[in-house]
Amino acid sequence: MNRPYMTVTEVTDYGPYITKIILPMPVAVKSEVLSEDTFNVYVERRNKKNGEVLQLRKDFLSEETQSSKGYCRVTKAYPSDDEGNKTPIGNYATLELECEAIYRLNSEVAYLEHNVFVFCDFRITQVKEIPTENEPISGLVYDHYSAGKMEQVRGWVNSESSYAEMPLRFGYYSPNMSKEKHPLIIWLHGGGEGGFDTTVAYAGNNVVNLSSEKVQRIFGGAYVLAPQVPTMWMDDGSGEFSWSGNSKYVSSLKALIDEFVSVHPNIDVNRIYIGGCSNGGFMTMRMIIDYPCFFAAAFPVCEALLDKMITDQQIKDIKDTPIWFTHAQNDTIVDPQITAIPTYERLLKAGAPDVHFSYFDKVVDTSGIFKDSEGNPFEFFGHGTWIYMLKDECVLDYDGSPVKVNGKDVTLLQWLAIQSKSIGHNKDTSEIQYNKIN
């Protein structure tokens, strides 16, 4: 009889991957009897709606498709408990899988009409005998999924706004409750994370890092709000990507934010921060332009609002809003030469006192997880600068110098955490805030 398996999913810089498979063993096994070649791991990625094996493009720009199936490489094998924690002797065997960046066979999301969660249908076959104190173990086959966990989404809740004209789905994270006021970080997803699979809005890429212990400590506990639209933020009513500079979702997004703040009275209305990537970067700019006095700061990433669509008056309206842009020179999806760069330069010319720009040559893995065929850090496509931003690795300004607050180097999120409409650019108060997060 074939056996059940369990999975552990980790939200990486490149989205959610099944990084561990946990196998119940017929008897307890010792660490020395398991190795990377004890089992092979075959997977077919299936559409959750119809169960069919996915036919996906070979790469981001290719029209040619292929079946998403094959063998995953096992990098470690060891005895464990039922949570996948390593033990000297265990009634479970845990297999750690390589996170591969091209075919992504153990990735739990795939781009269909939007990025959606898919079912990774594994078949794990024992190919090497496992010695025990009695009879050796052989012939084990596991092909029945029984349970899985994704620890990083713990604490996140999915909901929907009550705005009658256009309710929006959203996911949100609440900090540990206290009597103190807490800031609100708003993340606006890219074009790929629209649709109806709300968890994708914050787990389709590493947005959940904003709820991590490390980042929450920077902000002293922060709410994180991740709205989702059924099409894309750049939908001006046509149902398509539009470069008109307009979005049909402006009013409904503002209504969602207002409602969320009203039902969470311990949100500090002076510390509401808005940012997002690509389509979400576009909408970040749209929102601070349309509501120039509402947000304490903005962090647009590879933003897609054409600079020519921003008037000189709008530049004047937002110049006092602290903004930190992020983009890459080799971005072939959104050209920074016609979006972020000229807008940044116009803001500086208008006298903006607190505007920064982390401008990368390219986007390369810094986690050590993703490697190319030669074992070097994998180079992602140039549009993916949200990888750096969400890991809080934006530290340099447009001229290559460190961004500083009161003479001290800061990361983007450290800078964001000290922004408050109640203090503006008060140097002494900023110094107190900076010391609190370090």
Side-chain angles (χ1 to χ4, degrees):
M1 184 180 74
N2 293 351
R3 297 168 177 268
Y5 62 86
M6 299 173 287
T7 62
V8 174
T9 298
E10 179 183 351
V11 182
T12 72
D13 296 333
Y14 210 16
Y17 275 75
I18 294 175
T19 56
K20 291 181 180 182
I21 295 180
I22 304 168
L23 309 174
M25 299 300 291
V27 296
V29 295
K30 298 179 180 180
S31 58
E32 59 266 25
V33 303
L34 295 176
S35 60
E36 292 83 356
D37 59 353
T38 302
F39 297 90
N40 67 29
V41 178
Y42 176 78
V43 63
E44 295 180 347
R45 297 167 80 206
R46 297 181 180 275
N47 188 315
K48 283 190 172 184
K49 290 184 177 180
N50 58 28
E52 295 180 354
V53 176
L54 302 175
Q55 301 294 319
L56 300 176
R57 291 183 296 182
K58 284 190 172 183
D59 58 59
F60 189 77
L61 298 176
S62 174
E63 293 299 322
E64 186 178 355
T65 62
Q66 61 188 9
S67 295
S68 187
K69 60 184 180 180
Y71 288 90
C72 298
R73 188 171 80 88
V74 178
T75 59
K76 293 180 182 179
Y78 47 80
S80 72
D81 60 20
D82 62 354
E83 296 285 317
N85 301 306
K86 188 175 183 180
T87 57
I89 302 174
N91 290 313
Y92 296 83
T94 288
L95 311 180
E96 293 191 8
L97 305 181
E98 177 185 25
C99 293
E100 197 273 334
I102 300 297
Y103 302 109
R104 305 181 69 185
L105 290 176
N106 48 323
S107 171
E108 282 205 287
V109 296
Y111 187 83
L112 303 180
E113 293 182 0
H114 295 280
N115 282 317
V116 296
F117 274 89
V118 300
F119 175 53
C120 292
D121 188 7
F122 288 99
R123 182 181 177 89
I124 304 99
T125 305
Q126 182 186 354
V127 294
K128 183 178 178 181
E129 191 173 77
I130 301 173
T132 70
E133 292 182 356
N134 298 309
E135 293 294 320
I137 301 171
S138 62
L140 298 179
V141 177
Y142 300 81
D143 63 2
H144 174 65
Y145 170 79
S146 64
K149 67 174 184 176
M150 183 164 47
E151 189 66 28
Q152 288 145 295
V153 302
R154 185 188 294 274
W156 283 81
V157 178
N158 293 341
S159 189
E160 185 175 76
S161 71
S162 61
Y163 184 57
E165 293 183 29
M166 191 182 293
L168 295 182
R169 289 172 303 282
F170 61 94
Y172 71 96
Y173 173 85
S174 299
N176 292 330
M177 290 297 100
S178 68
K179 293 181 179 179
E180 297 179 355
K181 293 282 188 178
H182 294 280
L184 169 62
I185 306 169
I186 301 164
W187 174 265
L188 306 179
H189 61 75
E193 289 74 51
F196 301 91
D197 196 343
T198 305
T199 304
V200 170
Y202 52 88
N205 44 39
N206 199 16
V207 180
V208 291
N209 193 50
L210 298 176
S211 63
S212 68
E213 182 179 349
K214 178 181 178 181
V215 172
Q216 287 290 306
R217 192 182 312 120
I218 291 173
F219 287 86
Y223 285 90
V224 186
L225 174 64
Q228 185 187 45
V229 292
T231 57
M232 65 289 295
W233 297 111
M234 292 173 71
D235 181 354
D236 62 0
S238 66
E240 304 290 339
F241 286 98
S242 168
W243 294 99
S244 68
N246 300 317
S247 172
K248 72 175 186 177
Y249 295 112
V250 169
S251 296
S252 56
L253 176 57
K254 183 58 163 57
L256 164 57
I257 295 168
D258 289 342
E259 180 181 355
F260 189 81
V261 171
S262 71
V263 299
H264 296 90
N266 63 332
I267 288 176
D268 185 347
V269 295
N270 289 311
R271 298 177 68 200
I272 298 176
Y273 313 126
I274 190 166
C277 63
S278 189
N279 245 251
F282 159 90
M283 197 62 173
T284 298
M285 297 301 297
R286 183 75 272 151
M287 293 300 287
I288 64 173
I289 289 170
D290 291 350
Y291 305 98
C293 298
F294 184 80
F295 301 98
F299 53 105
V301 184
C302 52
E303 62 98 351
L305 177 59
L306 294 175
D307 177 71
K308 68 182 182 180
M309 297 298 178
I310 305 175
T311 68
D312 289 341
Q313 182 58 51
Q314 289 169 340
I315 290 290
K316 291 179 181 179
D317 291 342
I318 67 172
K319 72 179 180 65
D320 291 322
T321 299
I323 306 172
W324 189 319
F325 294 90
T326 303
H327 220 121
Q329 183 175 348
N330 69 338
D331 188 339
T332 59
I333 308 300
V334 176
D335 184 354
Q337 298 292 338
I338 57 175
T339 54
I341 291 175
T343 300
Y344 168 73
E345 291 174 341
R346 290 171 67 193
L347 285 165
L348 291 182
K349 187 175 179 180
D354 196 2
V355 176
H356 307 283
F357 194 149
S358 288
Y359 193 42
F360 296 90
D361 293 331
K362 54 187 178 181
V363 184
V364 179
D365 178 62
T366 60
S367 68
I369 294 175
F370 297 97
K371 303 180 187 303
D372 64 19
S373 59
E374 297 179 355
N376 300 314
F378 183 78
E379 182 177 342
F380 299 102
F381 70 144
H383 191 50
T385 41
W386 57 83
I387 290 173
Y388 289 137
M389 183 265 134
L390 290 170
K391 288 182 69 177
D392 201 23
E393 293 181 343
C394 295
V395 295
L396 301 180
D397 218 331
Y398 193 67
D399 61 0
S401 64
V403 176
K404 295 179 181 289
V405 172
N406 298 310
K408 297 179 180 180
D409 294 357
V410 292
T411 65
L412 188 156
L413 291 181
Q414 289 174 334
W415 167 88
L416 190 66
I418 65 176
Q419 306 304 325
S420 175
K421 291 194 300 181
S422 65
I423 61 174
H425 298 280
N426 182 284
K427 181 176 179 180
D428 294 335
T429 311
S430 294
E431 176 74 20
I432 294 171
Q433 289 287 92
Y434 181 81
N435 288 333
K436 285 175 66 178
I437 64 174
N438 284 273

